[in-house]
Amino acid sequence: MYLVKDISGAICLMAVALVLLGTWPVVLAVLERRGRLPQHTFLDFSVTNFLAAVLIALTFGQIGPDTPETPNFLTQLTQNNWPSVLFATVGGVTLSLGTLATQYGWAFVGLSVTEVMASSLKVVIGTTLNYFLDGRINKAEVLFPGVGCFLIAAILGSLVHHSNAADNQEKLAKSLANYSKNTRNTASYDDLTKLLLEKEGPKDLEEAKLDAPENTQKLEKVEAGTAEFLVHLEEKRSIKVLGSHTLLGLGIVVFAGVFYALFTPAFNLATNDQWHTLPAGVPHLVVYTAFFYFSLACFAVSVALNVWFLYRPMVGVPRSTVAAYLRDGEGRWLALLAGLVCGLGNAFTFMAGQAAGYAAADSVQALPLVSTFWGVVLFGEYRRSSRRTYTLLASMLLMFAVAMVVLMASSNHRRPL
């Protein structure tokens, strides 16, 4: 079994994980904005996310000698380590619920703010738990100021969302005023929103007519950040958000952040057995075995929930069927790629956490630095926004950058339990 044993190696893994974990949300958001149903995308994503865990376990988990203290992956599958397996499973369930929620949060709140708020809540809660579970191996005087920076970033993220929502409403209101002036018709902002929402089309995917290429070309001709851009995007995307209440999006993101906060502490307990639940003489789960069970649980929950959502969708998303999912190959390879990237990113995070402490490894939650870059470049987020929104956005990203550096600086060698 291959283990990372030095701080520099752990920090390198954190850096790679940061890029990977900041990129996969962008891929899924692209597919949603192109009109692909989130249920279809997440089913594809879940398959390769689990296959990444199997790949890591059969390679890194089988490299090197198989000793009683650090058995290889296949050896551990037959050992009596069910308490630790249970913790790993709980971690996989919470990650699945958090990731599922963020997929809807991207539509309602935007990619940048969703990732910032969810990651910040994850750090504030999860990193504090990991600090105590890890026997306080991280430097508290460095770690907790970093946690505070994440908390400030989360608050700024909610302010960015509120400010940007106000900017979008102002753009639409001006567009409506021009429409009323030109047509000599009077209509309210709510009337415009209702009209847009009524243009969703049939709720059953089997009856829907796919005109994504035509819509995509139309959207590409519209300048990002304009009212026309917002209207065309709403017509094309699979999750309709215009007219929704601000608190709905923020509520989804808070839900995601709370569940995200629990998966690394559960994984920490699975690999280090701080509560001494394993039978005497049974070695701790190695990180690769724990990651396998973790990903297996994540896969099972994701598939079960998304098959249910095919027939009982949330927040106005069109219904679908298993047969329709199997026929929907548009964008499938991107969803599969996103799952693989996410799985590798999580694996590297856990490998770094086992070496330098899971509290320090939570520095990868600065992934919104990467996601926001892609959101601005690819999606035109915050284009033509107010100076207030730009100021809040810059402050949020600066606080995130500081938090990431501070958490990495708190790394320390793990002491044997």
Side-chain angles (χ1 to χ4, degrees):
M1 177 184 67
Y2 173 76
L3 288 177
V4 179
K5 297 181 180 179
D6 59 274
I7 298 299
S8 59
I11 290 178
C12 287
L13 282 177
M14 293 179 206
V16 174
L18 173 65
V19 175
L20 295 177
L21 294 176
T23 299
W24 72 262
V26 182
V27 179
L28 297 195
V30 165
L31 293 174
E32 186 276 321
R33 292 166 76 96
R34 290 179 178 177
R36 193 168 198 247
L37 293 186
Q39 308 98 305
H40 292 190
T41 297
F42 209 81
L43 284 169
D44 290 335
F45 170 89
S46 301
V47 171
T48 47
N49 188 58
F50 174 62
L51 291 179
V54 176
L55 175 65
I56 289 290
L58 292 177
T59 53
F60 290 108
Q62 288 295 115
I63 294 175
D66 187 0
T67 66
E69 294 78 19
T70 56
N72 285 338
F73 165 66
L74 294 177
T75 301
Q76 279 212 309
L77 292 180
T78 59
Q79 293 178 343
N80 183 23
N81 45 31
W82 68 265
S84 293
V85 170
L86 182 60
F87 282 121
T89 301
V90 169
V93 171
T94 57
L95 176 65
S96 177
L97 293 174
T99 305
L100 181 63
T102 58
Q103 191 175 15
Y104 292 88
W106 297 328
F108 282 94
V109 185
L111 180 66
S112 305
V113 174
T114 298
E115 293 303 308
V116 166
M117 292 189 63
S119 296
S120 298
L121 288 171
K122 191 267 181 195
V123 168
V124 171
I125 301 171
T127 300
T128 302
L129 294 175
N130 278 322
Y131 171 73
F132 291 103
L133 287 175
D134 278 337
R136 306 182 184 187
I137 68 172
N138 299 100
K139 305 164 187 173
E141 66 278 9
V142 179
L143 178 71
F144 285 106
V147 172
C149 290
F150 271 101
L151 178 59
I152 295 172
I155 296 171
L156 290 171
S158 66
L159 295 176
V160 170
H161 170 59
H162 184 271
S163 179
N164 193 55
D167 293 342
N168 288 340
Q169 183 169 344
E170 184 178 350
K171 294 171 189 175
L172 291 169
K174 288 181 179 179
S175 179
L176 178 61
N178 292 333
Y179 169 80
S180 300
K181 181 179 178 180
N182 294 334
T183 62
R184 297 184 180 179
N185 256 339
T186 58
S188 68
Y189 174 79
D190 289 337
D191 291 335
L192 175 63
T193 299
K194 182 179 179 181
L195 177 63
L196 289 171
L197 294 177
E198 286 175 348
K199 294 171 70 175
E200 291 180 32
K203 289 294 184 182
D204 193 329
L205 187 68
E206 297 285 0
E207 301 173 4
K209 294 181 179 180
L210 300 179
D211 57 352
E214 178 184 345
N215 282 337
T216 300
Q217 292 174 3
K218 182 194 295 184
L219 188 62
E220 287 175 349
K221 296 177 181 178
V222 180
E223 187 173 353
T226 62
E228 189 179 9
F229 176 86
L230 296 174
V231 172
H232 287 325
L233 177 60
E234 182 75 4
E235 291 174 348
K236 188 167 69 74
R237 72 187 319 160
S238 61
I239 304 175
K240 307 301 181 183
V241 298
L242 282 182
S244 62
H245 198 280
T246 300
L247 292 180
L248 174 61
L250 293 178
I252 292 173
V253 175
V254 170
F255 175 90
V258 170
F259 276 93
Y260 270 147
L262 300 177
F263 83 82
T264 52
F267 194 92
N268 196 346
L269 286 166
T271 54
N272 295 301
D273 192 34
Q274 291 92 336
W275 292 352
H276 307 291
T277 57
L278 287 173
V282 176
H284 295 171
L285 279 189
V286 298
V287 65
Y288 307 107
T289 309
F291 185 51
F292 169 78
Y293 286 116
F294 171 92
S295 300
L296 179 61
C298 188
F299 172 73
V301 172
S302 298
V303 170
L305 286 177
N306 280 282
V307 169
W308 170 264
F309 289 147
L310 287 175
Y311 301 93
R312 297 289 187 273
M314 300 191 300
V315 295
V317 173
R319 290 185 298 271
S320 183
T321 63
V322 171
Y325 158 68
L326 294 175
R327 291 196 300 269
D328 181 17
E330 185 71 27
R332 171 160 289 158
W333 71 271
L334 282 175
L336 295 172
L337 177 62
L340 181 63
V341 169
C342 178
L344 293 176
N346 284 328
F348 293 157
T349 301
F350 294 141
M351 291 166 65
Q354 192 61 21
Y358 288 98
D362 281 338
S363 62
V364 301
Q365 294 307 314
L367 58 92
L369 291 172
V370 180
S371 297
T372 299
F373 170 79
W374 289 119
V376 172
V377 172
L378 294 179
F379 302 152
E381 288 187 348
Y382 309 113
R383 298 278 179 87
R384 295 175 172 265
S385 292
S386 65
R387 181 176 299 178
R388 176 190 62 236
T389 299
Y390 287 139
T391 301
L392 289 170
L393 178 64
S395 301
M396 178 188 75
L397 295 177
L398 175 62
M399 195 58 61
F400 237 101
V402 171
M404 176 189 66
V405 173
V406 172
L407 254 65
M408 282 190 175
S410 74
S411 301
N412 212 340
H413 289 285
R414 179 179 296 280
R415 297 187 297 269
L417 296 175

